[in-house]
mmCIF file of all heavy atoms in Angstrom:
data_model
loop_
_atom_site.group_PDB
_atom_site.id
_atom_site.type_symbol
_atom_site.label_atom_id
_atom_site.label_comp_id
_atom_site.label_asym_id
_atom_site.label_seq_id
_atom_site.Cartn_x
_atom_site.Cartn_y
_atom_site.Cartn_z
ATOM 1 N N ASP M 1025 -21.793 9.576 23.328
ATOM 2 C CA ASP M 1025 -20.494 9.401 23.780
ATOM 3 C C ASP M 1025 -19.799 8.193 23.092
ATOM 4 O O ASP M 1025 -20.480 7.220 22.705
ATOM 5 C CB ASP M 1025 -20.480 9.166 25.233
ATOM 6 C CG ASP M 1025 -20.747 10.412 26.058
ATOM 7 O OD1 ASP M 1025 -20.767 11.467 25.421
ATOM 8 O OD2 ASP M 1025 -20.957 10.266 27.300
ATOM 9 N N ALA M 1026 -18.536 8.311 23.023
ATOM 10 C CA ALA M 1026 -17.761 7.115 22.456
ATOM 11 C C ALA M 1026 -16.992 6.523 23.732
ATOM 12 O O ALA M 1026 -16.688 7.113 24.593
ATOM 13 C CB ALA M 1026 -16.709 7.645 21.503
ATOM 14 N N ASP M 1027 -16.919 5.136 23.609
ATOM 15 C CA ASP M 1027 -16.204 4.457 24.648
ATOM 16 C C ASP M 1027 -14.740 4.317 24.478
ATOM 17 O O ASP M 1027 -14.053 4.065 25.355
ATOM 18 C CB ASP M 1027 -16.883 3.036 24.777
ATOM 19 C CG ASP M 1027 -18.347 3.037 25.104
ATOM 20 O OD1 ASP M 1027 -18.798 3.916 25.833
ATOM 21 O OD2 ASP M 1027 -19.096 2.237 24.546
ATOM 22 N N LYS M 1028 -14.329 4.422 23.227
ATOM 23 C CA LYS M 1028 -12.922 4.221 22.902
ATOM 24 C C LYS M 1028 -12.157 5.471 22.669
ATOM 25 O O LYS M 1028 -12.796 6.522 22.524
ATOM 26 C CB LYS M 1028 -12.833 3.263 21.695
ATOM 27 C CG LYS M 1028 -13.484 1.968 21.861
ATOM 28 C CD LYS M 1028 -13.364 1.131 20.694
ATOM 29 C CE LYS M 1028 -13.981 -0.195 20.904
ATOM 30 N NZ LYS M 1028 -13.837 -1.172 19.724
ATOM 31 N N GLN M 1029 -10.890 5.355 22.652
ATOM 32 C CA GLN M 1029 -10.007 6.637 22.366
ATOM 33 C C GLN M 1029 -9.294 6.412 21.048
ATOM 34 O O GLN M 1029 -8.978 5.336 20.704
ATOM 35 C CB GLN M 1029 -8.995 6.745 23.494
ATOM 36 C CG GLN M 1029 -9.566 6.872 24.877
ATOM 37 C CD GLN M 1029 -8.481 7.020 25.984
ATOM 38 O OE1 GLN M 1029 -8.764 7.660 26.887
ATOM 39 N NE2 GLN M 1029 -7.398 6.306 25.840
ATOM 40 N N VAL M 1030 -9.047 7.506 20.419
ATOM 41 C CA VAL M 1030 -8.254 7.487 19.214
ATOM 42 C C VAL M 1030 -7.232 8.555 19.196
ATOM 43 O O VAL M 1030 -7.490 9.704 19.636
ATOM 44 C CB VAL M 1030 -9.213 7.660 17.930
ATOM 45 C CG1 VAL M 1030 -9.991 8.949 17.986
ATOM 46 C CG2 VAL M 1030 -8.417 7.473 16.563
ATOM 47 N N GLU M 1031 -6.030 8.250 18.833
ATOM 48 C CA GLU M 1031 -4.924 9.197 18.886
ATOM 49 C C GLU M 1031 -5.224 10.196 17.682
ATOM 50 O O GLU M 1031 -5.638 9.779 16.596
ATOM 51 C CB GLU M 1031 -3.530 8.494 18.556
ATOM 52 C CG GLU M 1031 -2.943 7.929 19.843
ATOM 53 C CD GLU M 1031 -2.349 8.992 20.829
ATOM 54 O OE1 GLU M 1031 -2.039 10.143 20.368
ATOM 55 O OE2 GLU M 1031 -2.184 8.710 21.945
ATOM 56 N N PHE M 1032 -4.996 11.434 18.028
ATOM 57 C CA PHE M 1032 -5.346 12.482 17.024
ATOM 58 C C PHE M 1032 -4.564 12.215 15.678
ATOM 59 O O PHE M 1032 -5.158 12.346 14.605
ATOM 60 C CB PHE M 1032 -4.888 13.903 17.604
ATOM 61 C CG PHE M 1032 -5.059 14.968 16.599
ATOM 62 C CD1 PHE M 1032 -6.339 15.401 16.171
ATOM 63 C CD2 PHE M 1032 -3.932 15.579 16.037
ATOM 64 C CE1 PHE M 1032 -6.434 16.431 15.231
ATOM 65 C CE2 PHE M 1032 -4.080 16.587 15.139
ATOM 66 C CZ PHE M 1032 -5.309 17.044 14.713
ATOM 67 N N VAL M 1033 -3.314 11.924 15.750
ATOM 68 C CA VAL M 1033 -2.522 11.735 14.468
ATOM 69 C C VAL M 1033 -3.054 10.536 13.704
ATOM 70 O O VAL M 1033 -3.187 10.600 12.542
ATOM 71 C CB VAL M 1033 -0.983 11.484 14.817
ATOM 72 C CG1 VAL M 1033 -0.260 11.105 13.561
ATOM 73 C CG2 VAL M 1033 -0.430 12.791 15.444
ATOM 74 N N ASP M 1034 -3.488 9.412 14.387
ATOM 75 C CA ASP M 1034 -4.083 8.331 13.679
ATOM 76 C C ASP M 1034 -5.376 8.751 12.979
ATOM 77 O O ASP M 1034 -5.765 8.281 11.912
ATOM 78 C CB ASP M 1034 -4.349 7.188 14.671
ATOM 79 C CG ASP M 1034 -3.002 6.597 15.206
ATOM 80 O OD1 ASP M 1034 -1.989 6.756 14.529
ATOM 81 O OD2 ASP M 1034 -3.083 6.039 16.258
ATOM 82 N N LEU M 1035 -6.194 9.511 13.797
ATOM 83 C CA LEU M 1035 -7.520 9.984 13.110
ATOM 84 C C LEU M 1035 -7.118 10.810 11.895
ATOM 85 O O LEU M 1035 -7.754 10.698 10.948
ATOM 86 C CB LEU M 1035 -8.301 10.729 14.147
ATOM 87 C CG LEU M 1035 -9.586 11.375 13.618
ATOM 88 C CD1 LEU M 1035 -10.556 10.394 13.095
ATOM 89 C CD2 LEU M 1035 -10.206 12.275 14.674
ATOM 90 N N PHE M 1036 -6.273 11.772 12.066
ATOM 91 C CA PHE M 1036 -5.879 12.652 10.953
ATOM 92 C C PHE M 1036 -5.478 11.841 9.708
ATOM 93 O O PHE M 1036 -5.917 12.098 8.644
ATOM 94 C CB PHE M 1036 -4.718 13.604 11.377
ATOM 95 C CG PHE M 1036 -4.364 14.612 10.358
ATOM 96 C CD1 PHE M 1036 -5.140 15.796 10.180
ATOM 97 C CD2 PHE M 1036 -3.301 14.446 9.512
ATOM 98 C CE1 PHE M 1036 -4.789 16.671 9.219
ATOM 99 C CE2 PHE M 1036 -2.975 15.358 8.595
ATOM 100 C CZ PHE M 1036 -3.677 16.480 8.378
ATOM 101 N N ARG M 1037 -4.563 10.843 9.982
ATOM 102 C CA ARG M 1037 -4.088 10.011 8.902
ATOM 103 C C ARG M 1037 -5.301 9.290 8.200
ATOM 104 O O ARG M 1037 -5.337 9.161 7.024
ATOM 105 C CB ARG M 1037 -3.113 8.992 9.396
ATOM 106 C CG ARG M 1037 -2.568 8.089 8.350
ATOM 107 C CD ARG M 1037 -1.521 7.163 8.763
ATOM 108 N NE ARG M 1037 -0.269 7.983 8.909
ATOM 109 C CZ ARG M 1037 0.552 7.903 9.892
ATOM 110 N NH1 ARG M 1037 0.432 7.117 10.971
ATOM 111 N NH2 ARG M 1037 1.654 8.687 9.933
ATOM 112 N N SER M 1038 -6.200 8.880 8.989
ATOM 113 C CA SER M 1038 -7.395 8.071 8.307
ATOM 114 C C SER M 1038 -8.201 8.993 7.575
ATOM 115 O O SER M 1038 -9.082 8.507 6.737
ATOM 116 C CB SER M 1038 -8.186 7.380 9.470
ATOM 117 O OG SER M 1038 -8.962 8.300 10.163
ATOM 118 N N LEU M 1039 -8.176 10.278 7.706
ATOM 119 C CA LEU M 1039 -8.949 11.188 6.948
ATOM 120 C C LEU M 1039 -8.226 11.666 5.699
ATOM 121 O O LEU M 1039 -8.775 12.483 4.837
ATOM 122 C CB LEU M 1039 -9.383 12.408 7.774
ATOM 123 C CG LEU M 1039 -10.330 12.055 8.911
ATOM 124 C CD1 LEU M 1039 -10.481 13.282 9.922
ATOM 125 C CD2 LEU M 1039 -11.734 11.613 8.457
#
Side-chain angles (χ1 to χ4, degrees):
D1025 288 347
D1027 299 324
K1028 298 181 179 182
Q1029 301 180 144
V1030 60
E1031 278 288 339
F1032 175 71
V1033 171
D1034 295 337
L1035 175 62
F1036 184 82
R1037 179 176 284 136
S1038 74
L1039 294 169

